[in-house]
Amino acid sequence: MTLITPEPDGGLVSRVRAVDGVGRSRSTPDPRSESKTCASCGREMQWRRKWAANWDQVAYCSDACRRRGVRTVDTALEDAIRELLAARAATATICPSEAARSVGGDDWRDLMEPARRAARRLVAAGEVEITQRGTVVDPSTARGPIRIRRAR
């Protein structure tokens, strides 16, 4: 018998009744409470039943992200974000378009979504934060204009 109980840290733990039926229980982390970050787009992925057999190997949230992967332009955008932030004050922010302009030149508009993806990957790495109106937001659900700043 399995009982799902909340833990003080907000996660879930499944309590599995021992086979001998004595009533002893052991705690194992419930995979449904785990999440990962997509290696391509940087969005948060939640555990799904279809991934149960290979959750440890799951790296991408979708087939599109698996096909896209992380290209050289994506790493160039990450480096551009780091360089732009390093050249500014510790509390300063940048727009993803600044990184796109520094990498793409005149064709920077096509790099706007890749720049946002690069920012989300840097958030997952703990290097930067994404803000809207000065407040840190969840990069997986942020819509509209964003700013990027160093992690505090």
Side-chain angles (χ1 to χ4, degrees), residues 64-92:
C65 283
R66 185 178 301 105
R67 282 190 302 272
R68 184 182 310 116
V70 179
R71 300 174 295 194
T72 55
V73 71
D74 297 325
T75 56
L77 285 164
E78 289 177 13
D79 293 339
I81 291 170
R82 287 184 193 104
E83 290 170 8
L84 288 166
L85 287 172
R88 309 239 175 132
T91 58

Side-chain angles (χ1 to χ4, degrees), residues 1 15-27:
M1 181 166 111
R15 308 268 182 215
V16 181
R17 191 64 68 168
V19 176
D20 61 5
V22 174
R24 291 176 291 179
S25 66
R26 64 179 190 269
S27 296

Side-chain angles (χ1 to χ4, degrees), residues 25-47:
S25 66
R26 64 179 190 269
S27 296
T28 57
D30 186 14
R32 291 176 288 192
S33 65
E34 292 184 34
S35 65
K36 289 183 174 185
T37 303
C38 178
S40 178
C41 69
R43 287 193 170 99
E44 186 176 332
M45 303 181 290
Q46 296 296 323
W47 181 87

Side-chain angles (χ1 to χ4, degrees), residues 101-132:
R101 284 185 180 107
S102 70
V103 171
D106 291 336
D107 297 327
W108 65 273
R109 281 184 170 68
D110 292 336
L111 294 178
M112 278 303 296
E113 184 53 34
R116 289 174 70 103
R117 285 195 303 262
R120 286 192 298 263
R121 284 192 302 273
L122 291 173
V123 167
E127 295 183 44
V128 300
E129 296 174 333
I130 292 179
T131 63
Q132 287 182 321

Side-chain angles (χ1 to χ4, degrees), residues 2-13:
T2 302
L3 304 170
I4 307 295
T5 57
E7 288 293 301
D9 64 355
L12 296 175
V13 170

